[in-house]
């Protein structure tokens, strides 16, 4: 079943936000009327040296609201955090945000569409912002004119922020008093008419009131702010090679689209790994934050319905972890092929050469017909040949969604109490193949591939999948006594 998104609601919200920006401030002649004086004062705008422009840049006053909102939002959970800089990245087409947090610099970014924006992260505060909603810019900073153009308030000079000064001692130190290297804020130019620290550092009671009044999604927020901060900075999401999630190189979609990042609302209880492909800035995101996928090859893409798009020349690599080394397991994938495959890998734990365990869910051309296949090999039984089993009798048509489930699971005989394993292959909710399974493929030793051969073997060019993948979910099935 297709994932549930808030895109329709977002579209309505955007329309309302844009109309709110423009209805009261645009004349029938199309002339943009300056915003209210109080709004100008709030963002320290000098009306004599301000103008409207369709493009965003470091001259845009929206930087001020981004900084203010980022600080207030993060301070609900991390009291020491304060925004100290916002810069426009022309290449990424977003604003990069620098936060000073207890003596350390951390980074966020703001994604802009129309008069709306939300926060994103490549590491710091990820658990706080990865499923947040969006905000609408104040009407004095962004509006729609009578012709439907989105305009942003600009400054004649670059909008600047207080500089960060490194010092060994200061009256405005942030961080532990015993630290040998401390940082302070030097106000080279006041953007607020008062110091940044006094502007942003709310009282504890005000912050708690703000936090309690905010509507928080249970799927995106943990109850305790301390546990949230811990999840951001802990090493629980480290890989076997020792690199943490904040250091990993994320897979960004080849084409950035005008849609929101939303985390899955599916019931993932029981699963241990889940790629829902809902974030165009992090296509390899694992909902359990343990087994992130990386760029394997090419340029994976994305669409706003939350699908990974593979063009027959791209794929993701999953670093091998113990989470995939199970005698009993279940893999479920929802996919749509948009072009025929030869021996097209959808998701595979495919070893190079011979003498190693492996399994593959593939779209194969069999006698000129596209067939969904499951290949499995237990090296202790046969280290050379694969057991190949069709999943259903029908041809897999192009541009149609299918859900495949592979399940190897233990069962205890009611007659003699002996535990044996079974293999079930399901397509679109119906079991198409069931048999006793004699093997054990838990001794896999190589990285997994999504959409391609992660081991670059001899038939590498033939193994690319072309189409869309809605999700890939994996669970370990415990052994029976």
């Amino acid at each position: 079943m297709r994932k549930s998104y808030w895109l329709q609601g977002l579209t309505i919200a955007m329309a309302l936000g844009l109309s709110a920006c423009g209805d009261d401030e645009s004349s029938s002649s199309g002339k943009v009327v300056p915003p209210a004086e109080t709004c100008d004062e709030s963002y320290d705008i000098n009306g004599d040296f301000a103008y409207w422009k369709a493009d965003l840049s470091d001259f845009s006053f929206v930087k001020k609201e981004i900084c203010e909102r980022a600080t207030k939002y993060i301070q609900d959970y991390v009291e020491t955090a304060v925004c100290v800089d916002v810069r426009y990245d022309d290449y990424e087409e977003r604003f990069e945000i620098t936060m000073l947090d207890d003596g350390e610099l951390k980074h966020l970014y703001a994604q802009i569409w129309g008069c709306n924006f939300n926060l994103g992260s490549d590491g710091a505060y990820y658990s706080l912002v990865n499923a947040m909603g969006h905000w609408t810019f104040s009407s004095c900073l962004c509006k729609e004119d009578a012709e439907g153009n989105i305009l942003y308030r600009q400054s004649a000079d670059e909008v600047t922020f207080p500089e960060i000064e490194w010092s060994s001692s200061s009256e405005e130190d942030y961080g532990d008093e015993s630290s040998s290297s401390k940082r302070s804020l030097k106000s080279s130019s006041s953007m607020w008419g008062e110091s940044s620290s006094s502007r942003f550092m709310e009282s504890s009671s005000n912050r708690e009131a703000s936090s309690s009044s905010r509507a928080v999604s249970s799927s995106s927020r943990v109850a305790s702010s301390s546990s949230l901060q811990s999840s951001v900075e802990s090493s629980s999401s480290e890989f076997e090679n020792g690199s943490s999630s904040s250091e990993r190189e994320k897979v960004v979609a080849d084409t950035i689209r005008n849609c929101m990042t939303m985390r899955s609302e599916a019931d993932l209880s029981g699963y241990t790994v889940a790629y829902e492909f809902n974030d165009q800035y992090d296509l390899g995101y694992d909902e359990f934050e343990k087994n992130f996928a990386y760029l394997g090859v090419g340029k994976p893409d994305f669409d706003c319905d939350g699908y990974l798009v593979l063009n027959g020349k791209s794929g993701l690599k999953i670093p091998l972890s113990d989470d995939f080394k199970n005698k009993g397991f279940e893999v479920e994938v929802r996919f749509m092929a948009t072009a025929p495959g030869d021996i097209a890998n959808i998701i595979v734990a495919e070893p190079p050469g011979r003498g190693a365990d492996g399994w593959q869910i593939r779209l194969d051309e069999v006698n000129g017909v596209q067939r969904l296949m499951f290949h499995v090999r237990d090296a202790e039984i046969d280290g050379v040949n694969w057991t190949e089993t069709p999943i259903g009798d029908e041809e897999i048509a192009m541009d149609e969604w299918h859900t495949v489930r592979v399940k190897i699971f233990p069962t205890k005989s009611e007659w003699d109490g002996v535990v044996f394993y079974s293999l079930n292959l399901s397509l679109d909710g119906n079991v198409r193949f069931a048999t006793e399974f004699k093997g054990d493929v838990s001794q896999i030793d190589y990285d997994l591939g999504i959409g391609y051969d992660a081991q670059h073997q001899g038939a590498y060019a033939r193994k690319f999948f072309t189409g869309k993948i809605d999700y890939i979910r994996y669970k370990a099935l415990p052994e029976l006594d």
Side-chain angles (χ1 to χ4, degrees):
M1 185 175 183
R2 195 164 180 170
K3 282 178 285 190
S4 173
Y5 284 87
W6 302 337
L7 293 176
Q8 183 177 5
L10 173 60
T11 302
I12 295 172
M14 289 175 63
L16 291 175
L18 293 178
S19 63
C21 288
D23 286 350
D24 295 334
E25 298 169 350
S26 298
S27 68
S28 59
S29 64
K31 179 181 178 181
V32 178
V33 180
E37 183 177 341
T38 54
C39 190
D40 281 9
E41 292 175 350
S42 297
Y43 294 99
D44 193 24
I45 298 173
N46 184 335
D48 295 334
F49 300 97
Y51 59 98
W52 293 93
K53 187 178 179 181
D55 297 330
L56 289 163
S57 71
D58 280 323
F59 291 81
S60 305
F61 281 108
V62 297
K63 292 170 59 175
K64 293 188 174 184
E65 186 167 8
I66 290 170
C67 196
E68 181 182 43
R69 297 265 191 127
T71 295
K72 289 182 177 179
Y73 182 83
I74 298 300
Q75 279 187 357
D76 281 340
Y77 309 100
V78 186
E79 294 186 1
T80 57
V82 58
C83 168
V84 294
D85 190 45
V86 177
R87 299 283 175 178
Y88 188 71
D89 187 327
D90 289 299
Y91 180 77
E92 297 288 351
E93 296 184 342
R94 68 190 191 190
F95 285 98
E96 302 292 336
I97 306 166
T98 301
M99 305 289 294
L100 183 64
D101 182 353
D102 199 18
E104 294 185 8
L105 296 179
K106 299 183 178 181
H107 300 279
L108 296 165
Y109 56 81
Q111 304 171 114
I112 314 295
W113 65 101
C115 286
N116 300 273
F117 72 104
N118 69 330
L119 301 180
S121 172
D122 290 328
Y125 313 119
Y126 190 86
S127 296
L128 303 184
V129 304
N130 66 2
M132 66 176 291
H134 71 283
W135 294 308
T136 299
F137 285 120
S138 299
S139 59
C140 67
L141 305 182
C142 179
K143 61 172 58 182
E144 179 183 14
D145 67 14
E147 285 75 34
N149 302 307
I150 302 299
L151 303 175
Y152 303 96
R153 200 78 180 279
Q154 309 286 320
S155 172
D157 300 312
E158 181 178 337
V159 177
T160 59
F161 290 77
E163 294 178 356
I164 300 173
E165 179 182 87
W166 295 77
S167 64
S168 58
S169 61
S170 172
E171 295 179 358
E172 290 186 278
D173 284 329
Y174 290 82
D176 190 89
E177 289 296 322
S178 63
S179 173
S180 60
S181 176
K182 300 182 179 181
R183 303 171 187 175
S184 64
L185 290 180
K186 176 183 177 182
S187 182
S188 61
S189 60
S190 177
M191 53 175 276
W192 304 107
E194 55 184 326
S195 70
S196 295
S197 57
S198 63
R199 168 83 179 190
F200 287 136
M201 299 302 286
E202 301 175 300
S203 68
S204 175
S205 60
N206 287 343
R207 190 156 41 248
E208 291 174 0
S210 173
S211 177
S212 62
S213 64
R214 177 181 289 125
V216 178
S217 168
S218 61
S219 64
S220 63
R221 204 72 51 80
V222 184
S224 167
S225 64
S226 61
S227 66
L228 273 169
Q229 177 64 4
S230 175
S231 69
V232 172
E233 297 180 345
S234 73
S235 60
S236 63
S237 60
E238 291 181 352
F239 296 105
E240 292 181 346
N241 63 8
S243 63
S244 68
S245 61
S246 63
E247 298 169 342
R248 69 188 182 90
E249 184 176 351
K250 298 181 180 181
V251 184
V252 180
D254 185 44
T255 305
I256 298 302
R257 304 184 184 278
N258 192 25
C259 50
M260 279 191 67
T261 293
M262 299 300 298
R263 290 288 168 239
S264 174
E265 295 180 344
D267 181 6
L268 299 176
S269 57
Y271 289 97
T272 48
V273 186
Y275 306 104
E276 300 294 290
F277 305 119
N278 293 339
D279 185 348
Q280 60 187 324
Y281 293 97
D282 192 359
L283 294 178
Y285 183 80
D286 169 28
E287 296 290 324
F288 297 93
E289 298 191 343
K290 293 179 63 181
N291 293 279
F292 298 105
Y294 289 77
L295 179 63
V297 66
K299 297 180 179 180
D301 216 335
F302 173 88
D303 68 22
C304 288
D305 288 320
Y307 306 138
L308 173 67
V309 181
L310 301 174
N311 63 0
K313 298 179 181 179
S314 56
L316 303 179
K317 178 186 289 188
I318 306 171
L320 179 64
S321 75
D322 288 341
D323 286 326
F324 294 101
K325 297 181 177 182
N326 305 289
K327 185 174 182 179
F329 63 89
E330 179 179 317
V331 185
E332 182 175 316
V333 184
R334 187 169 184 258
F335 72 96
M336 174 197 289
T338 57
D342 187 358
I343 46 177
N345 292 346
I346 298 176
I347 178 167
V348 298
E350 179 181 16
R354 305 180 178 187
D357 290 357
W359 53 265
Q360 310 166 16
I361 300 175
R362 294 197 334 210
L363 184 65
D364 290 358
E365 182 177 332
V366 182
N367 299 323
V369 175
Q370 294 292 298
R371 300 291 297 275
L372 187 63
M373 304 287 290
F374 178 63
H375 303 247
V376 64
R377 183 175 72 191
D378 180 354
E380 291 187 1
I381 296 176
D382 187 337
V384 178
N385 300 304
W386 294 81
T387 299
E388 304 177 358
T389 306
I391 307 176
D393 298 326
E394 67 269 34
E395 179 179 7
I396 299 298
M398 301 298 100
D399 303 310
E400 293 183 5
W401 285 103
H402 295 281
T403 302
V404 56
R405 178 182 296 134
V406 172
K407 185 176 181 181
I408 299 176
F409 60 98
T411 303
K412 181 180 288 188
S413 170
E414 295 182 358
W415 179 61
D416 58 7
V418 173
V419 175
F420 62 95
Y421 277 76
S422 298
L423 169 65
N424 280 12
L425 304 177
S426 301
L427 181 62
D428 298 330
N430 298 312
V431 176
R432 302 301 183 92
F433 181 84
T435 187
E436 185 176 351
F437 185 72
K438 297 291 188 179
D440 178 357
V441 293
S442 62
Q443 296 87 28
I444 58 175
D445 294 318
Y446 299 91
D447 295 340
L448 290 78
I450 298 175
Y452 86 121
D453 173 12
Q455 303 308 319
H456 294 253
Q457 300 175 82
Y460 173 76
R462 301 168 56 198
K463 295 185 177 182
F464 285 94
F465 172 77
T466 303
K468 301 179 180 182
I469 301 179
D470 187 358
Y471 59 77
I472 297 174
R473 299 166 184 166
Y474 179 98
K475 67 173 67 174
L477 301 178
E479 298 184 23
L480 301 178
D481 297 328

